[in-house]
């Protein structure tokens, strides 16, 4: 039987297994081999070279890998597991969070050279890296050897807070400048669609990067940099800044060598010709294979991840697939043209009259995914997702089908054939590959093409609905549709592509005829039948949206037929480049206190030098653990079978409740009675509940094996997942919170002129901390104790809970935490879960165990912000004065009430308004969801929103301007809040008045009214919202330690508060330097430990900086008191001299303070006001925030630069809560469906205000509190509700057009869908107008 040649591979003649010689390079000749699969002995002849390893460089250091890794291993996992780059972070592992960005060289078919691109390293399979030159954050610079200009610029602009995303922000800009050395500010903002930042609110990041732009605004200092500065990278050989270019980008090697690597359980191929590919397709057409190029699809569909396949074929080596050909009749693009390359082709050729539609296509492709994905992924890969999943809303498919593109597809037998997109949709692509697409030209000049995509977020968000329209119109003949048009849709249902009946109807009709438009709309309505899936938008919205997009297209193509006020319906919202101003004061006589300065770790963060817990290198024998979680929300466990998982290579152990040490508690809650099981022992109370953990030699193995554990259930019941369902079924936790009564509200309401009742609610919010929950547990040498590195906001109680679980003394539990990569409340009590699980695993295995929760498990397993529902009744006088309020407020606690949702609720229950009588009844609901937990402003955010919603309702019923009604009821000095606080320093009236003037509110209201009068389908709204935020830190305990080193006088501080991006370490250095009169650069803040900082309360509640500053101040005062007698005997000593003499005389140079404050100074109010203006596209629900003005009373800020950053970041996190972030759960199982970056959407750079103005009240020291400052972490988040109310006012303007301008509740989040639905858009309104 002859041996078959397979390109450069050799196939066994018996079993057809492909082989690659691995014993060195073979020269021409005859060789013998034994088949690795079936044992058959055969001979073969070698006629060419074949590689069985890949070689690439990282920061100019060469790496060669053979078959020692898994095919699924990403570049990111390789770099981090090998300690090559810990500065490159990891979170979602699906290309959606953007913290893993690096740059790499890729072939650019336009310049026909290798160019540098920014890519998501989590998406790049290691074995695709052949020949790549990768640069990570470490390759650019560091504070010791010299910062790269981008690293320095980001730090100087205060563009980092927790610092977890900072390396990626830098690498994104580096990649952009490598390809576009002098970008415009618009190009910079367009590129910043990749990396999520939960901390900063993006404004300082965008400002830092726009300062490199050729057209940078005067208020953005820094300027462009030349190529020499850009490439001053760190040399891998010397560790110093390169004096020249470390390496040059080289022309690609067109004669690439094919690759074949036999891996454990799979094979990796990289053919270099079409013929080699066809041979592989023929050989493996019966196998489980996958073609690999951008590898971005598994972020959408997990079953196409590379770990699911036995054979992987890398297409990057086939030069034919990069062809680009443009001629008079067509444009041909090879299948390996990336989305980024395609945008460039479209832009370059859009001035060709026959290709004018390329302008529209370029805009459409530029909002597919994000820049990192567009740099990696090809248009053909996007189409293949549509082939595999017809429901996938592929923008590429919609575009191509709109213009009648055709595909050329090759088969394993060597045949190549053309197919339409519709034929492709139903084509079995097994043994086939897309070769190219042919796009037509329309030289006649009368063909109009328009595409649309409406999504949850402007950037990096898949579509609710995509649409494309092509019509050949005779404009001179009332827009006669000359040929059959193309109306293409995606996202309506799984099968609909063309609105065929409407296409047929329109042919030969005059589209400018209003009766034709009406009939077309009727025809279209009949054939748009949306399907229902729980994780998508509603069928009603998607149908309405699809109809609206057709109408929008008609208005755009036939605009002159429409009345002037209707014409704006034919355009989309236009977002200019954003800008911001920050205004504040400080006191130079108190410096360094009150001095605006960047955080002390800023350059360490922007250069990737700071270490988070998962950046700590593994120690010998360290293991990794991964949670096994339930897939139903209300059932009993029948059986857990880990046998398949335990057979997976590298897996050592399955650990469950049975493995908790004898006498230990299977409870990770701080409450010993309200038990939250560490591992479910039988009764499942929510989907995502941990059942056990898999322990393995590495994280990838642990994660994969955890998914293999088979769990069966019995007594499966429908889960309770909504507040309405819980209320109906009386599923309630009793006695969780106390009622609040002030006066006789019922009597006041009964005697009031007006009585108004309503209901309002708000949903959950995932914290989206970029560092997921993580803990590393090490066994102590005594075999009893443990030492933990944990990402926790509450080290003290984590110690308590771990000690209970292991049944050991608290003193045997050591814990260290230096910083958190974001937390926002999620790591107060929920951080106990991974810590306890890792501790049990360490106890069982007697080895160190790292438990870093993967992103999807984190979302499913850990609770979110508490949802609330409020039923209210209000009594009000005819002149607009509140008389009484009755309010039943329901909080969805989830499966446990331990983290009480009503904690702190009543502090801000009345916000800024006086009402003499109150009757507040809190109800804690029990649902089959993960126990919800504090999230930035946990009590204040809902209480303020509910009160503001009440004010909106009453104002509407009274027909009073909402702002005027608010002003009528603002607190006056000396009045008493509902909770009983007498307001002695109330400035809210002055602040609102000042904001009205500075934000030009009255003038803008008139302009908005005029705009709304002139525009039927675009509406603007404006809202002014006051804020009173009560801060109370009575008995807040923090253990603070300050020590002075005798030899040089340098100082170390250890505080109970944990640095999580709020800048607490910097502020403590400022306070210490101010109190001791020493320079900041000799002070260091050490990690928080359970020795120096024992018994400290959690970091949170906006009080941690205040209380720790109090502790540092008390320590410094102790030290100064002890040192004073020594100093009195010396003549003008220097600080080091004084310290040395004190040491010589036996003075104790260490001091500690355990804070426990009391009295009026612990209780104060933050006042502020925000004015938000928005614009809404009524037809789609899309919206943008045109301007935000914030006036905020920060007292005498300890550090205005840090506090401005906190205020901006908090406000933008609030924008996400009110506008874009929505949790959806499967109604059958209770499983979180929005469990990834594909469908959960926190804000990105183009979701922030276009004009963002924030001002701190000047000359306003806090008469209470610590060091005259006020809190800033949470109040600005509450102010973001003004955006929702501005949207509501825009909706009211839309409803006024149809005579439905009556009150309606607008619940949070007001998503694009909710906004369009509230506008009550109906196809009967789709007319040209008069």
């Amino acid at each position: 039987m002859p041996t078959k040649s397979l390109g450069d591979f050799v196939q066994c003649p018996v079993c057809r297994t492909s082989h690659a010689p691995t014993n060195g390079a073979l020269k021409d000749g005859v060789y013998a081999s034994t088949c690795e699969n079936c044992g058959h002995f055969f001979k073969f002849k070698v006629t060419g070279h074949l590689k069985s390893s890949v070689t690439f460089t990282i920061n100019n250091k060469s790496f060669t890998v053979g078959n020692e890794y898994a095919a699924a291993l990403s570049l990111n996992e390789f770099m981090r597991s090998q300690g090559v780059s810990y500065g490159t972070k990891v979170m979602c592992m699906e290309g959606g969070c953007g913290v893993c960005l690096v740059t790499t060289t890729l072939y650019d078919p336009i310049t026909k050279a290798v160019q540098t691109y920014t890519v998501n390293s989590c998406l790049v399979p290691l074995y695709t890296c052949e020949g790549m030159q990768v640069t990570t954050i470490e390759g650019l610079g560091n504070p010791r050897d010299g910062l790269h200009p981008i690293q320095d610029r980001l730090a100087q602009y205060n563009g980092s807070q927790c610092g977890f995303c900072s390396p990626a922000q830098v690498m994104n800009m580096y990649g952009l400048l490598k390809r576009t050395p002098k970008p415009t500010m618009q190009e910079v903002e367009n590129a910043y669609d990749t990396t999520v930042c939960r901390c900063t609110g993006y404004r300082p990041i965008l400002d830092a990067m726009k300062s490199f732009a050729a057209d940078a605004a005067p208020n953005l200092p820094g300027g462009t940099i030349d190529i020499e500065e850009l490439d001053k990278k760190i040399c891998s050989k010397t560790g110093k800044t390169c004096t020249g270019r470390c390496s040059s980008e080289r022309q690609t090697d067109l004669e690439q060598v094919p690759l074949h690597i036999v891996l454990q359980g799979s094979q990796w191929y990289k053919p270099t010709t079409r013929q080699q590919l066809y041979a592989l397709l023929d050989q493996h057409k019966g196998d489980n294979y996958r073609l690999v190029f951008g590898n971005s699809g598994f972020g959408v569909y997990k079953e196409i991840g590379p770990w699911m396949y036995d054979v992987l074929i890398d297409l990057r080596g086939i030069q034919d697939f990069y062809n680009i050909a443009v001629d008079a009749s067509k444009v041909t693009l090879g299948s390996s043209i990336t989305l980024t390359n395609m945008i460039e082709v479209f832009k370059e050729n859009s001035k060709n009259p026959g290709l004018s539609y390329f302008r529209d296509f370029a805009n459409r492709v530029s909002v597919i995914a994000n820049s990192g994905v567009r740099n990696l992924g090809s248009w053909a890969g996007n189409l293949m997702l549509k082939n595999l999943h017809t429901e996938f809303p592929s923008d590429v498919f919609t575009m191509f089908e709109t213009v009648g593109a055709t595909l050329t597809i090759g088969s394993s037998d060597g045949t190549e054939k053309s197919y339409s997109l519709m034929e492709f949709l139903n084509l079995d692509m097994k043994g086939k590959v897309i070769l190219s697409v042919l796009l037509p030209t329309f030289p006649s000049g009368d063909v109009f093409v328009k595409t649309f995509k409406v999504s949850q977020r402007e950037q990096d968000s898949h579509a609710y609905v995509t649409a494309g329209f092509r019509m050949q119109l005779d404009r001179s003949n009332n827009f006669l549709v000359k040929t059959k048009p193309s109306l293409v849709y995606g996202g309506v249902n799984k099968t609909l592509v063309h609105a065929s009946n409407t296409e047929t109807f329109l042919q030969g009709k005059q589209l400018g005829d209003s009766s034709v438009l009406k009939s077309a709309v009727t025809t279209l309505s009949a054939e748009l039948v949306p399907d229902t899936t729980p994780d998508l938008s509603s069928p009603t919205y998607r149908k309405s949206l699809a109809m609206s997009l057709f109408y929008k297209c008609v208005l755009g193509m036939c605009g002159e037929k429409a009345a002037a006020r209707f014409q704006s319906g034919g355009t989309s919202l236009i977002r200019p480049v954003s800008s911001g101003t920050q205004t504040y004061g400080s006191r130079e006589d108190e410096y360094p206190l009150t001095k605006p300065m960047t955080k002390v770790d800023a350059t360490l963060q922007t250069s990737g030098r700071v270490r988070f817990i998962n950046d700590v290198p593994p120690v010998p024998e360290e293991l990794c653990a991964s949670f096994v979680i339930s897939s139903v929300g209300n059932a009993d466990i029948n059986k857990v079978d880990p046998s398949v998982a335990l057979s997976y290579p590298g897996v050592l152990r399955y650990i469950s409740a049975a493995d908790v040490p004898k006498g230990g508690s299977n409870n990770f809650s701080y409450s010993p009675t309200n038990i939250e099981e560490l591992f479910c022992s039988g009764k499942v109370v929510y989907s995502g509940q941990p059942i056990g953990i898999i322990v393995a030699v590495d994280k990838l193995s642990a994660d994969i094996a955890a998914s293999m554990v088979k769990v069966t259930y019995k007594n499966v019941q429908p889960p309770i997942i909504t507040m309405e369902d819980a209320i109906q079924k009386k599923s309630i936790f009793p006695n969780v919170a106390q009622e609040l009564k002030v006066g006789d509200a019922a009597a006041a309401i009964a005697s009031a002129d007006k009585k108004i009742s309503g209901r309002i609610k708000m949903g959950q919010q995932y914290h989206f901390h970029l560092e997921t929950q993580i803990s590393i547990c090490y066994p102590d040498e005594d075999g009893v104790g443990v030492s933990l590195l944990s990402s926790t906001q509450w080290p003290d109680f984590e110690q308590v809970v771990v000690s209970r679980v292991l049944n050991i003394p608290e003193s045997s539990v050591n814990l260290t935490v230096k910083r958190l990569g974001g937390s926002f409340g999620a790591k107060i009590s929920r951080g106990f879960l991974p810590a306890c699980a890792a501790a049990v695993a360490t106890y069982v295995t007697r080895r160190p165990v790292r438990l870093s929760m993967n992103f999807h498990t984190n979302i499913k397993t850990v609770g979110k912000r508490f949802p609330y529902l409020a039923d209210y009744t209000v009594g009000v006088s005819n002149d607009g004065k509140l008389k009484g309020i009755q309010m039943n407020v329901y909080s969805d606690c989830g499966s446990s009430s331990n983290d009480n949702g009503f904690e702190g609720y009543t502090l801000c229950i009345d916000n800024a308004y006086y009402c003499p009588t109150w009757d507040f009844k809190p109800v804690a609901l029990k649902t089959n969801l993960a126990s919800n937990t504090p999230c930035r402003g946990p009590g204040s955010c809902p209480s303020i929103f509910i009160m503001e919603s009440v004010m909106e309702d009453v104002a509407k019923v009274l027909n009073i301007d909402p702002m005027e009604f608010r002003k009528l009821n603002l607190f006056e000095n000396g009045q008493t809040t509902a909770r009983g606080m007498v307001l002695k320093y109330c400035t809210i009236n002055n602040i609102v008045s000042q904001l009205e003037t500075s934000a030009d509110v009255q003038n803008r209201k008139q302009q908005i009214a005029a705009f709304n009068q002139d525009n039927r389908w675009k509406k603007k709204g404006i809202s002014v919202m006051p804020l009173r935020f009560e801060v109370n830190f009575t008995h807040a305990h923090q253990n603070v330690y300050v020590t002075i080193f005798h030899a040089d006088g340098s100082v170390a501080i250890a505080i109970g508060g944990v640095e999580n991006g709020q800048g607490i370490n910097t502020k403590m250095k400022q306070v210490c330097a101010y109190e001791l009169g020493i320079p900041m650069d000799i002070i260091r803040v050490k990690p928080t430990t359970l020795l120096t900082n024992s018994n400290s309360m959690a970091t949170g509640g906006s009080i941690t900086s205040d209380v720790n500053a109090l502790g540092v101040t008390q320590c410094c005062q102790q030290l100064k008191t002890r040192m004073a007698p020594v100093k009195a005997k010396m003549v003008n000593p220097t600080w080091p001299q004084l310290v040395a003499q004190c040491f010589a005389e036996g003075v104790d140079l260490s001091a500690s303070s355990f804070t426990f404050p009391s009295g009026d100074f612990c209780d104060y109010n933050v006042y502020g006001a925000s004015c938000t203006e928005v614009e809404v596209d009524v037809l789609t629900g899309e919206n943008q925030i045109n301007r935000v003005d914030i006036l905020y009373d920060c007292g005498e800020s300890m550090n205005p630069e840090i506090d401005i950053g906190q205020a901006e970041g908090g406000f933008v996190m609030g924008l996400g809560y009110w506008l874009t972030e929505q949790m959806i759960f499967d109604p059958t199982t209770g499983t979180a469906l929005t469990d990834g970056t594909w469908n959960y959407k926190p804000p990105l750079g183009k979701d922030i205000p276009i004009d963002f103005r924030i001002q701190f009240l000047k000359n306003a020291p806090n008469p209470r509190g610590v060091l005259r400052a006020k809190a800033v972490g949470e109040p600005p988040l509450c102010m973001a509700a003004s955006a929702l109310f501005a949207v509501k006012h825009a909706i009211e303007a839309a409803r006024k057009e149809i005579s439905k301008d009556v009150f309606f509740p607008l619940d949070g989040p007001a998503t694009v869908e909710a906004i369009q639905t509230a506008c009550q858009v109906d196809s009967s309104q789709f007319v040209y107008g008069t």
Side-chain angles (χ1 to χ4, degrees), residues 1090-1156:
L1090 293 178
L1091 178 62
T1092 53
N1093 312 115
S1094 57
N1095 306 319
S1096 295
M1097 66 183 293
T1099 295
S1102 298
I1103 65 172
T1104 308
S1105 292
D1106 280 0
V1107 179
N1108 281 276
L1110 175 64
V1112 170
T1113 300
Q1114 291 173 346
C1115 288
C1116 291
Q1117 289 171 348
Q1118 292 177 41
L1119 292 168
K1120 287 192 293 185
T1121 299
R1122 293 177 201 163
M1123 299 169 79
V1126 178
K1127 185 177 181 180
K1129 295 183 288 185
M1130 303 174 71
V1131 180
N1132 296 323
T1134 63
W1135 174 255
Q1137 289 171 341
L1138 173 59
V1139 170
Q1141 187 58 37
C1142 286
F1143 177 73
E1145 295 188 23
V1147 174
D1148 184 357
L1149 294 175
S1150 299
S1152 66
S1153 169
F1154 185 75
T1155 65
F1156 198 70

Side-chain angles (χ1 to χ4, degrees), residues 745-955:
I749 293 169
S751 63
D753 297 325
K754 290 278 194 313
K755 177 181 175 181
I756 298 151
S757 295
R759 168 176 281 193
I760 194 72
K761 67 177 180 177
M762 64 221 75
Q764 293 187 315
Q765 182 178 33
Y766 175 59
H767 303 75
F768 219 97
H769 41 85
L770 295 177
E771 176 196 44
T772 60
Q773 301 278 4
I774 179 174
S775 188
I776 309 175
C777 186
Y778 306 92
D780 282 354
E781 59 188 7
D782 62 5
V784 176
V786 292
S787 295
L788 294 124
L789 297 178
S790 279
S791 186
T792 178
Q793 295 173 249
W794 200 359
D796 170 56
F797 236 96
E798 186 161 300
Q799 176 190 39
V800 172
V801 174
V802 169
S803 73
R804 288 176 184 166
V805 170
L806 296 183
N807 192 24
I808 60 176
E810 288 178 48
S811 57
S812 292
V813 179
N814 306 301
L815 191 150
T816 301
V817 55
K818 188 168 187 177
R819 62 175 61 87
L820 310 180
S823 53
F824 314 107
K827 297 175 181 178
I828 297 177
S829 67
R830 301 302 97 181
F832 303 163
L833 175 62
C836 290
V840 171
T842 292
Y843 167 81
V844 171
T845 65
R846 304 185 185 186
R847 291 168 65 174
V849 175
R850 181 181 306 236
L851 203 167
S852 172
M853 291 178 69
N854 74 62
F855 174 59
H856 302 284
T857 302
N858 206 125
I859 295 185
K860 290 178 178 177
T861 299
V862 178
K864 326 293 184 294
R865 181 187 292 279
F866 291 88
Y868 288 84
L869 183 153
D871 291 322
Y872 57 84
T873 301
V874 183
V876 63
S877 65
N878 286 329
D879 61 357
K881 288 285 190 176
L882 295 171
K883 296 299 181 182
I885 296 176
Q886 290 178 318
M887 193 178 285
N888 290 349
V889 177
Y890 302 89
S891 173
D892 180 355
C893 295
S895 57
S896 165
S897 63
N898 281 326
D899 288 359
N900 179 2
F902 290 107
E903 189 76 37
Y905 186 96
T906 57
L907 287 170
C908 306
I909 190 172
D910 41 9
N911 192 19
Y913 312 108
Y914 176 70
C915 181
T917 66
W918 274 86
D919 187 355
F920 164 72
K921 291 184 173 65
V923 182
L925 299 176
K926 181 179 182 180
T927 59
N928 293 114
L929 298 175
S931 297
N932 289 314
T933 198
C935 181
R936 200 172 193 171
S940 53
C941 174
S943 61
I944 289 171
F945 172 71
I946 290 169
M947 187 63 201
E948 291 298 323
S949 297
V950 168
M951 301 300 283
E952 288 281 324
D953 191 351
V954 177

Side-chain angles (χ1 to χ4, degrees), residues 23 573 821 1033 1089:
N23 294 326
L573 294 172
F1033 55 88
T1089 71

Side-chain angles (χ1 to χ4, degrees), residues 20 185 234 360 488 564 695 811 823 834 996 1060 1180 1211:
M185 290 197 293
I234 297 298
D360 178 87
V488 178
V695 180
S811 57
S823 53
E996 273 191 273
N1060 60 14
T1180 64
F1211 189 86

Side-chain angles (χ1 to χ4, degrees), residues 1008-1051:
I1008 287 169
F1011 176 90
N1012 290 341
Q1013 184 63 40
D1014 292 344
N1015 289 275
R1016 171 66 181 89
W1017 297 114
K1018 297 282 196 310
K1019 298 296 179 184
K1020 291 183 178 180
I1022 190 169
S1023 175
V1024 175
M1025 181 181 138
L1027 171 88
R1028 180 190 67 85
F1029 188 103
E1030 185 176 344
V1031 177
N1032 189 310
F1033 55 88
T1034 301
H1035 297 167
H1037 45 278
Q1038 294 283 351
N1039 206 341
V1040 177
Y1041 183 78
V1042 177
T1043 189
I1044 306 169
F1045 297 101
H1046 71 89
D1048 64 358
S1050 59
V1051 175

Side-chain angles (χ1 to χ4, degrees), residues 474-534:
D474 184 350
R475 300 178 72 93
S476 64
N477 189 12
N478 203 17
F479 296 93
L480 177 74
V481 184
K482 297 165 68 174
T483 55
K484 186 176 182 179
S486 181
L487 281 66
V488 178
Y489 285 103
V492 176
N493 63 46
K494 291 182 180 181
T495 57
L496 177 80
V497 176
H498 280 271
S500 304
N501 296 341
T502 311
E503 291 174 345
T504 302
F505 168 79
L506 284 171
Q507 186 173 355
K509 302 289 196 312
Q510 291 180 325
L511 190 54
D513 185 331
S514 58
S515 64
V516 170
L517 172 60
K518 182 178 180 180
S519 296
V521 168
T522 302
T523 306
L524 181 61
S525 178
E527 62 181 327
L528 293 179
V529 183
D531 54 13
T532 302
T533 53

Side-chain angles (χ1 to χ4, degrees), residues 92-411:
C92 73
M93 288 299 291
E94 60 187 18
C97 71
V99 301
C100 65
L101 296 186
V102 298
T103 62
T104 188
T105 52
L106 299 171
Y107 178 66
D108 177 11
I110 297 173
T111 60
K112 300 193 184 309
V114 165
Q115 301 275 6
T116 298
Y117 293 85
T118 305
V119 299
N120 299 74
S121 63
C122 74
L123 295 179
V124 180
L126 179 65
Y127 289 103
T128 63
C129 292
E130 169 66 20
M132 290 185 183
Q133 299 170 44
V134 178
T135 302
T136 73
I137 189 70
E138 290 89 349
L140 294 189
N142 60 66
R144 179 172 175 176
D145 301 311
L147 289 169
H148 191 278
I150 305 173
Q151 295 170 329
D152 185 53
R153 198 81 58 91
L154 182 61
Q156 296 310 314
Y157 272 76
N158 193 32
S160 72
Q161 287 189 20
C162 82
F164 201 87
C165 76
S166 301
Q169 308 288 4
V170 170
M171 295 312 298
N172 195 11
M173 193 64 194
Y174 178 70
L176 176 64
L177 291 178
K178 287 289 286 184
R179 297 203 3 102
T180 311
K182 297 192 184 305
T184 63
M185 290 197 293
Q186 186 65 68
E187 287 173 322
V188 172
E189 289 206 351
N190 291 345
Y192 270 76
D193 61 354
T194 303
T195 304
V196 173
C197 177
R198 195 51 137 173
C199 297
T200 66
Y202 298 100
R203 195 277 312 160
I205 297 172
L206 293 175
D207 277 1
M209 302 315 173
K210 286 184 293 190
S211 72
F212 290 100
D215 60 344
N219 66 325
L220 300 177
T224 60
I225 58 174
D226 56 33
I227 195 67
E228 285 76 19
E229 286 183 280
L230 180 64
D231 276 323
K232 279 186 177 179
K233 299 188 289 189
I234 297 298
C235 177
S236 63
K237 297 178 181 177
T238 66
K240 304 293 184 182
T241 304
C242 295
T243 53
R245 294 189 66 178
C246 293
S247 66
S248 60
E249 291 163 352
R250 50 182 171 74
Q251 282 291 116
T252 186
D253 178 9
L254 299 183
E255 298 300 322
Q256 292 192 48
V257 178
L259 176 73
H260 179 203
I261 304 177
V262 180
L263 306 162
Q264 184 173 358
S266 60
Q267 298 183 72
W268 187 282
Y269 293 99
K270 185 179 183 181
T272 58
T273 67
R274 236 188 280 193
Q275 289 68 35
Q276 292 172 5
L277 174 61
Y278 289 155
L280 286 170
L281 291 176
D282 183 56
Q283 176 194 1
H284 292 292
K285 60 188 176 186
D287 297 331
N288 183 25
Y289 78 87
R290 184 187 165 204
L291 304 180
V292 179
F293 186 79
N295 195 46
S296 59
F298 73 83
V300 186
Y301 299 108
K302 299 299 178 284
E303 78 272 12
I304 61 170
W307 53 86
M308 304 292 289
Y309 294 87
D310 303 323
V311 176
L312 295 127
I313 304 172
D314 181 3
L315 301 178
R316 286 191 175 272
I318 303 174
Q319 203 63 31
D320 290 353
F321 289 0
Y322 293 100
N323 289 342
I324 299 172
V326 182
D327 60 38
S329 62
K330 64 183 183 302
V331 174
T332 305
L333 302 176
S335 58
S336 289
I337 300 299
T338 65
L339 296 173
T340 296
N341 296 149
M342 195 159 71
I343 294 170
E344 293 165 350
V345 172
F346 289 156
K347 286 182 176 179
E348 189 176 309
N349 293 279
S350 62
K351 293 181 180 177
N352 180 331
L355 295 171
S356 59
Y357 70 88
F358 272 16
R359 279 192 295 273
D360 178 87
F361 275 21
N363 292 333
R364 191 61 47 238
V365 179
S366 68
V367 290
I368 295 176
N370 57 60
S371 58
V373 171
R374 291 193 297 271
N375 289 340
L376 273 177
S378 67
W379 62 263
N382 188 283
L383 282 187
M384 282 304 300
L385 284 182
K386 183 71 173 176
N387 178 270
L388 291 168
H389 294 270
T390 54
E391 76 278 6
F392 175 63
S394 167
D395 302 271
V396 173
F397 180 90
T398 300
M399 289 161 42
F400 285 1
E401 178 60 14
T402 298
V403 297
T406 57
L407 300 177
T408 301
I409 293 175
S411 297

